[in-house]
Amino acid sequence: MIWTAAFWKGASERAIKTLAQSLLAAFVVGVSILDIDVKAAFAIAATAVVVSFLTSIGSADFVSRDSRPEV
């Protein structure tokens, strides 16, 4: 069900979290803040975002489920 708004909302949320986690990892992995290759850090993060979306497409039924608890 990748053609629903719920899917893209869930996939986008996961991709944004992946982007933040990847950038944070690139910036704190034992390298001085002045020595960071920012272009490489963003390239790694962009690749992680693509992988996140592909993973979401691969598990579309899980991603598009409503996150509200059942009553």
Side-chain angles (χ1 to χ4, degrees), residues 33-64:
I33 192 77
L34 300 175
D35 295 331
I36 293 173
D37 183 356
V38 176
K39 185 177 177 181
F42 277 99
I44 292 167
T47 302
V49 167
V50 170
V51 172
S52 175
F53 272 115
L54 291 174
T55 302
S56 292
I57 290 170
S59 56
D61 291 336
F62 176 75
V63 173
S64 62

Side-chain angles (χ1 to χ4, degrees), residues 8 23 45 48:
W8 289 107
L23 282 176

